[in-house]
Amino acid sequence: MSDRPERTGWTPPLRRRRRPDWATQTPTWREARPALIADALKRASARRSGNWYVVGASRDVHAGGRPYGRTVGGVEVVLWRSDTGALHAGPGACPHLGAPLRDSRVVCGTLVCHWHGLALDGGSFAGWDPYPAHDDGVLVWVRLDAVGGEEPSERPVVPVRPTAGSGVDAVFTVVGRCEPQDVVANRLDPWHGSWFHPYSFVDLTVARPPTGEDDTFVVDVSFRVTGRLVVPVRAEFTAPGPRTVVMRITEGEGSTSVVETHATPLTREADERPRTAVVEAVVAASDRRGFALARAAAPVLRPLMRRTAGRLWRDDLAYAERRWALRSTGRFPG
């Protein structure tokens, strides 16, 4: 009698299918109605953010490390950590003579300006006032009330993720010439997946577009592993905020895994040459036994995950930039 546990219900994650012919796919342009996407974008844009903006990955700002700088909505921001790991944020210009604090140093948890040695411990000093900051374990956020112009909230709206410690996360950042709404519109158009990204997606079907009662895209899609091996899943796309779109796998391999796309404006509103940072967090999870090895190998996997995201965003950023170019010349509504 064997002592091995039964593998009842076990199914391999991969499926084999014939090599697809890109040109013979069912066209999706009828389903991807401009008005439907525009309405979903309008509803997303109306949601409140509490003036919170994603600025980067949590691991980019670490105790004992250099300060981290980002410009958000035309405002210079600097972030750093104390020796205990507490996150601090504030204006990126030194209150003395305007030195770029992102190029300064952190000494014993204090930000010390490299021009004249002025030290900031994270509290108000000489007209320099801190910004509220939040670390959600994957991303760091900063609240800029003058940029957002909304009623501020104590914490940002952080999407639901796999249980802390159960997944592998990676954060990818890229900058494009467009506005946040162009990035969000790209993500609220899942119909382009198999056409624009055939190297990553096949057999994509929008099983349910948003309705008046449920503002969710339900999508059936297969992720391509090799030419003929794919992983089929069901996923949901939602926009919990005006600059965020979340894809969550609800059925199939990697259920509960999420891909969060955050669009952070770098330039001021209505700038003639807008620039937006796409900060995308991938949090992968699996209930398969072998996934523990993936968590142990996270430092090796993260560059691969970022490389995959980078390939997709090479095309998706072109989509977003094209949309902005058409809008800015009046050739596209929005």
Side-chain angles (χ1 to χ4, degrees), residues 1-85:
M1 187 173 180
S2 174
D3 291 330
R4 293 182 181 178
E6 293 184 8
R7 302 179 75 179
T8 304
W10 183 87
T11 56
L14 301 177
R15 300 288 186 274
R16 185 178 178 85
R17 68 187 302 279
R18 64 178 181 80
R19 186 175 295 276
D21 186 344
W22 179 84
T24 61
Q25 297 181 89
T26 301
T28 58
W29 63 270
R30 291 182 178 85
E31 288 76 20
R33 292 182 287 115
L36 189 156
I37 297 170
D39 286 345
L41 176 63
K42 184 178 180 180
R43 291 191 295 271
S45 300
R47 296 189 177 106
R48 315 306 284 176
S49 70
N51 303 327
W52 288 94
Y53 296 85
V54 169
V55 292
S58 295
R59 63 176 58 88
D60 288 341
V61 189
H62 53 88
R66 298 188 65 84
Y68 180 86
R70 171 70 74 187
T71 298
V72 178
V75 175
E76 270 189 283
V77 178
V78 65
L79 301 96
W80 78 97
R81 292 191 192 273
S82 68
D83 286 347
T84 61

Side-chain angles (χ1 to χ4, degrees), residues 13 61 77 91 121 123 130 141 150 159 166 177 196 198 222 229 239 267 275 281:
V61 189
V77 178
D121 62 5
W141 307 64
E150 300 177 10
S166 67
R177 185 180 174 184
F196 204 32
S222 292
L229 293 178
T267 48
R275 297 172 69 244

Side-chain angles (χ1 to χ4, degrees), residues 168-193:
V168 175
D169 66 271
V171 179
F172 172 80
T173 301
V174 66
V175 174
R177 185 180 174 184
C178 60
E179 294 177 331
Q181 66 155 295
D182 302 301
V183 174
V184 174
N186 168 268
R187 276 297 183 260
L188 295 180
D189 169 21
W191 291 277
H192 76 268

Side-chain angles (χ1 to χ4, degrees), residues 227-289:
R228 297 188 181 186
L229 293 178
V230 300
V231 178
V233 302
R234 169 162 283 197
E236 293 183 353
F237 288 76
T238 57
R243 296 176 295 275
T244 300
V245 177
V246 179
M247 185 212 74
R248 177 174 289 102
I249 297 177
T250 57
E251 298 178 25
E253 185 66 21
S255 180
T256 74
S257 298
V258 298
V259 177
E260 300 174 14
T261 303
H262 301 271
T264 299
L266 304 184
T267 48
R268 297 183 185 279
E269 189 175 0
D271 193 291
E272 293 184 357
R273 298 176 63 85
R275 297 172 69 244
T276 295
V278 178
V279 185
E280 188 161 274
V282 180
V283 186
S286 175
D287 57 4
R288 293 182 182 272
R289 294 178 180 177

